[in-house]
Amino acid sequence: MKKINVMLMVCSVLITIGAFAQQSSKNSLSEITPNSLSIGYSKTTNIVFPYAIKSVDRGSADILVQKAKGLENIIQIKAAKMDFIPTNLTVVTADGKLYSFLLRYDEQNANLNLSMNTTEPFQQNVLFSVGIGNEKELKLYSKLALYDKSKIEGGKESRYGLKLHLNGIFIQNDIMYYRIVVANHSKIKYDVDQFRFFIRDSKKIKRTSSQEIEISPLYILNNYETIDEESENTFVFAVPKFTIPEKKYLVLQLMEKNGGRHLVIQVKNKKLVQVSVLPKL
């Protein structure tokens, strides 16, 4: 009888321990309920987050996801194919918060514009990428640089009846504005293929290639594709601020489309530090 009582006691203790362990496990895990989202094939769904997006993971290749160009807290989603099998999407933002979405296909009732800021759902600000500003602001400052009377002899080249001339460098809000004049004194119009900015080594060591660092403009004012015969155009290029390392220089290269009238000017660091500061808007 004593043995039976002892066995019953042991079983009771084990059952209690198991129940406690199971309850503790439940208490330590908290499931995140996914947000239900309907997306379409011919429509783009925009989601605005309160902080910059640090990680995006899609559950299937049947959906297309990208961050909005130049912005850090907006993603754009659409179906890669119609009637896809429901899948999920996970987003992690800079504040360490995880967002989970359950995606379903619904062309007619697709969600289009959503804000994950629950406190101010209709007043969410966009976060621009580092070095990238509002295009309206870039345009206004570019116009200031265009008409500013400050001039600098930053470099020029004249060939083939053409002249490429950097005559102004300006800065505001960590953005530099390069004012460049292209004059076509020839009888043949000039079709612009590309205008490149890159940093190059001053000297090329034997048996080694010259390293080039490309600089992409954020905005171009007066971005004409053709310079008519006997005319000129003044471009303004807005680029993220930078200086030139020792033994390197900035190259501004103008390439002609389907032609060979290419022009190049070189700018050293001592010219860049002579920038003019644009007045604040």
Side-chain angles (χ1 to χ4, degrees):
M1 183 61 108
K2 288 184 178 180
K3 289 184 179 179
I4 294 173
N5 289 336
V6 170
M7 289 179 66
L8 289 173
M9 188 179 297
V10 171
C11 289
S12 177
V13 170
L14 290 175
I15 291 171
T16 302
I17 293 174
F20 178 78
Q22 188 175 10
Q23 185 63 38
S24 298
S25 176
K26 286 182 179 179
N27 291 337
S28 64
L29 296 176
S30 179
E31 185 176 356
I32 298 174
T33 303
N35 297 279
S36 183
L37 194 61
S38 297
I39 65 173
Y41 180 77
S42 60
K43 299 173 184 176
T44 298
T45 298
N46 302 287
I47 307 178
V48 185
F49 294 86
Y51 291 89
I53 298 162
K54 291 299 181 182
S55 173
V56 177
D57 181 79
R58 55 181 179 158
S60 166
D62 292 340
I63 62 171
L64 302 174
V65 182
Q66 67 175 15
K67 280 207 293 188
K69 186 177 180 181
L71 302 174
E72 290 297 302
N73 66 323
I74 298 178
I75 60 170
Q76 298 172 320
I77 313 167
K78 68 190 307 182
K81 75 173 189 177
M82 297 181 180
D83 298 316
F84 63 81
I85 298 173
T87 185
N88 71 314
L89 176 72
T90 304
V91 177
V92 178
T93 51
D95 59 338
K97 189 170 182 179
L98 182 146
Y99 296 85
S100 178
F101 300 90
L102 181 61
L103 305 182
R104 292 185 174 88
Y105 180 80
D106 191 336
E107 188 68 31
Q108 299 303 319
N109 301 298
N111 299 116
L112 298 181
N113 301 298
L114 301 171
S115 172
M116 300 311 296
N117 187 344
T118 55
T119 56
E120 297 181 4
F122 301 110
Q123 300 180 24
Q124 177 64 55
N125 293 322
V126 298
L127 304 176
F128 291 99
S129 301
V130 176
I132 298 181
N134 188 313
E135 185 170 327
K136 181 179 179 181
E137 185 177 288
L138 293 175
K139 183 177 181 179
L140 290 173
Y141 278 121
S142 294
K143 285 186 175 180
L144 287 179
L146 178 68
Y147 296 112
D148 195 290
K149 294 182 179 179
S150 303
K151 290 190 176 181
I152 184 174
E153 288 300 322
K156 57 186 174 182
E157 182 181 37
S158 297
R159 298 174 68 188
Y160 317 112
L162 301 165
K163 182 180 180 181
L164 178 64
H165 183 201
L166 170 64
N167 72 351
I169 306 176
F170 307 87
I171 191 168
Q172 185 54 256
N173 294 339
D174 289 338
I175 304 294
M176 300 180 76
Y177 298 85
Y178 286 76
R179 186 174 63 202
I180 300 172
V181 180
V182 180
N184 182 6
H185 301 298
S186 74
K187 304 293 183 181
I188 306 172
K189 71 176 182 179
Y190 188 91
D191 295 319
V192 178
D193 181 32
Q194 59 177 322
F195 214 129
R196 294 182 62 211
F197 283 66
F198 56 91
I199 296 173
R200 174 181 285 173
D201 295 331
S202 295
K203 293 182 179 180
K204 182 178 176 181
I205 303 173
K206 268 189 176 182
R207 295 175 178 263
T208 63
S209 58
S210 178
Q211 183 182 12
E212 295 181 355
I213 302 172
E214 190 90 21
I215 300 170
S216 300
L218 306 174
Y219 178 80
I220 305 174
L221 181 68
N222 295 339
N223 190 20
Y224 297 118
E225 296 181 354
T226 299
I227 312 297
D228 290 331
E229 59 274 17
E230 298 183 339
S231 67
E232 71 175 35
N233 180 49
T234 301
F235 298 82
V236 177
F237 293 84
V239 300
K241 73 168 184 178
F242 66 92
T243 55
I244 305 172
E246 190 178 352
K247 297 182 180 180
K248 295 179 183 289
Y249 59 87
L250 174 66
V251 176
L252 308 180
Q253 183 182 60
L254 176 63
M255 308 287 287
E256 183 181 20
K257 189 175 182 179
N258 300 322
R261 294 180 294 174
H262 309 318
L263 298 175
V264 176
I265 55 179
Q266 300 176 1
V267 185
K268 293 188 176 179
N269 207 42
K270 63 181 181 181
K271 289 294 181 183
L272 263 65
V273 297
Q274 297 176 21
V275 296
S276 300
V277 179
L278 293 171
K280 286 209 169 192
L281 296 173

